[in-house]
């Protein structure tokens, strides 16, 4: 079985969570992407935040990992890090939009991993 590892930041500030929409999907999700060859999960998280939102993330704390089955031969591991950030948010080339959402009033069209991560954060 092949495993695709994906990593990204979960940024929460003043009870609001930062979510993005990109050119690949029509739903809101956390920033992040595939781990590249020779890269750690933490390095991927940092790189993806920079590429997608032009921000620097730091104080990475593993929040949760969600594993799902992509197809018969491939599973996907989504590794989420709670992070702080610095810099002005500027959307990257593949980002359609970004926004802050109240943690208790998220949009209906969120990716399936959004709520399990928020639930873990609220524990």
């Amino acid at each position: 079985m092949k495993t695709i590892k994906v990593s990204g930041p979960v940024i929460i500030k003043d009870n609001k969570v930062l979510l993005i929409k990109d050119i690949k999907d029509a739903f809101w999700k956390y920033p992040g992407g595939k781990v590249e060859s020779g890269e750690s999960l933490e390095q991927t998280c940092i790189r993806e935040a920079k590429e997608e939102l032009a921000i620097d993330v730091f104080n990475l704390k593993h929040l949760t990992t969600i594993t799902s089955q992509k197809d018969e031969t491939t599973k996907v591991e989504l590794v989420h890090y709670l992070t702080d950030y610095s810099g002005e948010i500027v959307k990257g080339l593949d980002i359609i939009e970004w926004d802050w959402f109240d943690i208790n009033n998220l949009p209906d069209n969120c990716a399936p991993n959004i709520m399990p991560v928020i639930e873990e954060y609220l524990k």
Side-chain angles (χ1 to χ4, degrees):
M1 172 98 35
K2 178 182 170 186
T3 301
I4 298 171
K5 293 191 178 219
V6 176
S7 176
V10 175
I11 302 170
I12 300 173
K13 180 179 166 188
D14 301 326
N15 259 357
K16 294 188 183 282
V17 61
L18 179 63
L19 299 176
I20 65 166
K21 278 188 183 178
D22 65 21
I23 60 174
K24 295 178 243 166
D25 310 296
F27 49 78
W28 290 99
K29 59 187 173 181
Y30 300 111
K34 291 181 188 174
V35 175
E36 294 181 356
S37 179
E39 195 174 53
S40 71
L41 291 163
E42 293 86 354
Q43 289 169 325
T44 300
C45 180
I46 292 166
R47 176 182 53 78
E48 289 290 339
K50 193 66 155 174
E51 288 176 3
E52 294 183 349
L53 297 170
I55 57 175
D56 295 307
V57 294
F58 54 95
N59 293 336
L60 280 68
K61 178 185 168 195
H62 180 255
L63 187 57
T64 187
T65 299
I66 297 173
T67 303
S68 63
Q69 198 73 30
K70 182 176 180 180
D71 56 39
E72 300 84 30
T73 61
T74 308
K75 67 179 180 175
V76 178
E77 284 184 4
L78 302 169
V79 182
H80 302 87
Y81 289 95
L82 186 62
T83 72
D84 293 320
Y85 81 97
S86 65
E88 181 181 341
I89 297 173
V90 178
K91 64 182 181 169
L93 295 175
D94 293 341
I95 306 305
I96 296 170
E97 63 181 308
W98 63 271
D99 207 344
W100 292 98
F101 294 95
D102 184 292
I103 201 166
N104 297 305
N105 190 23
L106 296 171
D108 291 333
N109 59 332
C110 284
N113 65 315
I114 299 295
M115 283 313 299
V117 172
I118 295 297
E119 289 166 4
E120 185 65 29
Y121 169 78
L122 292 173
K123 283 185 182 177

